[in-house]
Coordinates of all heavy atoms in Angstrom, one line a residue:
T293 N -2.6 13.1 22.9 CA -1.9 12.0 23.7 C -0.8 11.4 23.0 O 0.4 11.4 23.2 CB -3.0 11.0 24.2 OG1 -3.6 10.5 23.1 CG2 -4.0 11.6 25.2
V294 N -1.3 10.6 22.0 CA -0.4 9.8 21.0 C -1.1 9.9 19.7 O -2.3 10.3 19.6 CB -0.2 8.3 21.5 CG1 0.3 8.4 22.9 CG2 -1.5 7.5 21.5
G296 N -3.1 8.3 16.6 CA -4.1 7.2 16.5 C -4.1 6.7 15.1 O -3.8 7.4 14.1
R316 N -3.0 -6.5 16.0 CA -3.6 -6.3 17.3 C -4.5 -7.6 17.6 O -5.3 -8.0 16.7 CB -4.4 -5.1 17.4 CG -5.1 -4.8 18.7 CD -5.9 -3.5 18.5 NE -6.7 -3.2 19.7 CZ -6.2 -2.2 20.6 NH1 -5.1 -1.5 20.5 NH2 -7.0 -1.8 21.6
N320 N -9.1 -7.2 21.8 CA -8.8 -6.1 22.5 C -9.6 -4.8 21.9 O -9.3 -4.4 20.7 CB -7.2 -5.7 22.4 CG -6.8 -4.6 23.3 OD1 -7.5 -4.1 24.2 ND2 -5.5 -4.3 23.3
P321 N -10.6 -4.3 22.6 CA -11.5 -3.3 22.1 C -10.9 -1.8 21.8 O -9.8 -1.7 22.3 CB -12.6 -3.2 23.1 CG -12.0 -3.5 24.4 CD -10.8 -4.6 24.0
L322 N -11.6 -1.2 21.0 CA -11.2 0.2 20.5 C -11.8 1.3 21.2 O -13.1 1.1 21.7 CB -11.1 0.3 18.9 CG -10.5 -0.9 18.2 CD1 -10.8 -0.6 16.8 CD2 -9.1 -0.8 18.4
I323 N -11.3 2.5 21.2 CA -12.0 3.8 21.6 C -12.6 4.4 20.3 O -12.0 4.5 19.4 CB -10.9 4.7 22.2 CG1 -10.2 4.0 23.5 CG2 -11.6 6.1 22.6 CD1 -9.1 4.8 24.0
H325 N -13.7 8.0 18.9 CA -13.3 9.4 19.0 C -14.5 10.3 18.4 O -14.7 10.0 17.2 CB -12.0 9.6 18.3 CG -10.8 8.9 19.0 ND1 -10.7 7.5 18.9 CD2 -9.8 9.3 19.8 CE1 -9.7 7.2 19.6 NE2 -9.1 8.3 20.1
I358 N -16.0 4.7 29.7 CA -16.6 3.5 29.2 C -17.9 3.3 29.8 O -18.0 3.4 31.1 CB -15.7 2.3 29.7 CG1 -14.3 2.3 28.8 CG2 -16.4 0.9 29.5 CD1 -13.4 1.1 29.2
L373 N -17.7 -7.0 23.7 CA -18.2 -6.6 25.0 C -19.5 -5.8 24.9 O -19.8 -5.4 23.8 CB -17.1 -5.7 25.6 CG -15.7 -6.3 26.0 CD1 -14.8 -5.2 26.5 CD2 -16.0 -7.4 26.9
T375 N -19.9 -3.0 26.4 CA -19.6 -1.7 26.7 C -18.8 -1.0 25.7 O -18.2 -1.7 24.7 CB -18.7 -1.6 28.1 OG1 -17.6 -2.3 27.9 CG2 -19.5 -2.0 29.2
A377 N -15.9 2.3 24.7 CA -15.0 3.5 25.2 C -15.2 4.7 24.2 O -15.1 4.4 23.0 CB -13.6 3.0 25.2
R379 N -14.0 8.9 23.6 CA -13.3 10.2 24.0 C -13.4 11.2 22.9 O -13.5 10.9 21.7 CB -11.9 9.8 24.4 CG -10.8 10.1 23.5 CD -9.4 9.9 24.2 NE -8.4 10.1 23.2 CZ -7.6 11.3 23.3 NH1 -8.0 12.3 24.1 NH2 -6.6 11.5 22.5
A399 N -10.1 4.3 16.9 CA -8.7 4.5 16.8 C -7.9 4.0 18.0 O -8.1 4.6 19.1 CB -8.3 5.9 16.5
P400 N -7.1 3.1 17.9 CA -6.1 2.6 18.9 C -4.9 3.5 18.6 O -4.7 4.3 17.6 CB -5.8 1.2 18.6 CG -5.9 1.1 17.1 CD -7.0 2.0 16.7
S401 N -3.8 3.4 19.4 CA -2.5 4.0 19.2 C -2.0 3.5 18.0 O -2.1 2.4 17.6 CB -1.6 3.9 20.4 OG -1.7 2.5 20.7
E438 N -1.1 7.7 26.5 CA -2.5 7.6 26.2 C -3.4 8.0 27.3 O -3.1 8.1 28.4 CB -2.8 6.1 25.8 CG -1.9 5.5 24.8 CD -0.8 4.8 25.6 OE1 -0.5 5.2 26.7 OE2 -0.1 3.9 24.9
S439 N -4.7 8.3 26.8 CA -5.7 8.9 27.7 C -5.9 8.0 28.9 O -5.7 6.8 28.9 CB -7.1 9.0 26.9 OG -7.5 7.7 26.4
V441 N -8.3 5.8 31.0 CA -9.5 5.0 30.6 C -10.3 4.8 32.0 O -9.8 4.1 32.9 CB -9.2 3.7 30.0 CG1 -10.4 2.9 29.7 CG2 -8.5 3.9 28.6
L451 N -9.0 2.0 34.6 CA -8.4 0.9 34.0 C -7.1 1.2 33.5 O -6.1 0.3 33.3 CB -9.3 0.4 32.8 CG -10.8 0.1 33.2 CD1 -11.6 -0.5 32.0 CD2 -10.9 -0.9 34.4
R452 N -6.9 2.4 33.1 CA -5.5 2.9 32.5 C -5.4 4.3 32.9 O -6.1 5.2 32.5 CB -5.4 2.7 31.0 CG -4.1 3.1 30.3 CD -4.1 3.0 28.8 NE -4.9 3.9 28.2 CZ -5.0 4.0 26.9 NH1 -4.5 3.1 26.1 NH2 -5.8 5.0 26.4
A485 N -9.8 -6.4 33.7 CA -10.9 -5.4 33.6 C -10.9 -4.9 32.2 O -11.9 -4.6 31.6 CB -11.0 -4.4 34.6
S486 N -9.8 -4.6 31.7 CA -9.6 -4.1 30.4 C -8.7 -5.0 29.6 O -7.6 -5.3 30.1 CB -8.8 -2.7 30.5 OG -8.9 -2.1 29.3
P487 N -9.2 -5.6 28.5 CA -8.5 -6.7 27.9 C -7.0 -6.2 27.5 O -6.1 -7.1 27.5 CB -9.2 -6.9 26.5 CG -10.6 -6.4 26.9 CD -10.5 -5.4 27.8
G488 N -6.8 -4.9 27.2 CA -5.5 -4.5 26.8 C -4.4 -4.6 27.8 O -3.3 -4.7 27.6
Ligands
TXA54 O1 -5.0 8.3 24.1 C1 -5.6 7.4 23.6 O2 -6.4 6.8 24.3 C2 -5.2 6.9 22.2 C3 -5.5 8.1 21.3 C4 -5.3 7.5 19.9 O3 -6.8 8.4 21.4 N1 -5.8 5.7 21.9 C5 -5.5 4.5 22.5 O4 -6.1 3.4 22.2 O5 -4.6 4.5 23.4 P1 -5.6 1.8 22.5 O6 -6.5 1.0 21.7 O7 -4.1 1.8 22.2 O8 -6.0 1.7 24.0 C6 -7.4 1.5 24.4 C7 -7.5 0.8 25.7 C8 -7.0 -0.7 25.6 O9 -6.2 -1.0 26.8 C9 -8.4 -1.4 25.6 O10 -8.3 -2.7 26.2 C10 -9.2 -0.4 26.4 O11 -8.7 0.8 26.2 N2 -10.6 -0.5 26.1 C11 -11.2 -0.1 25.0 N3 -12.6 -0.4 25.1 C12 -12.8 -1.0 26.2 C13 -14.0 -1.6 26.9 N4 -15.1 -1.5 26.4 N5 -13.8 -2.1 28.1 C14 -12.6 -2.1 28.7 N6 -11.4 -1.6 28.2 C15 -11.6 -1.1 26.9

Side-chain angles (χ1 to χ4, degrees):
T293 58
V294 302
R316 183 178 176 104
N320 195 3
L322 304 176
I323 297 170
H325 295 70
I358 293 180
L373 297 175
T375 56
R379 103 172 178 97
S401 46
E438 309 89 339
S439 61
V441 176
L451 305 182
R452 180 180 73 184
S486 185

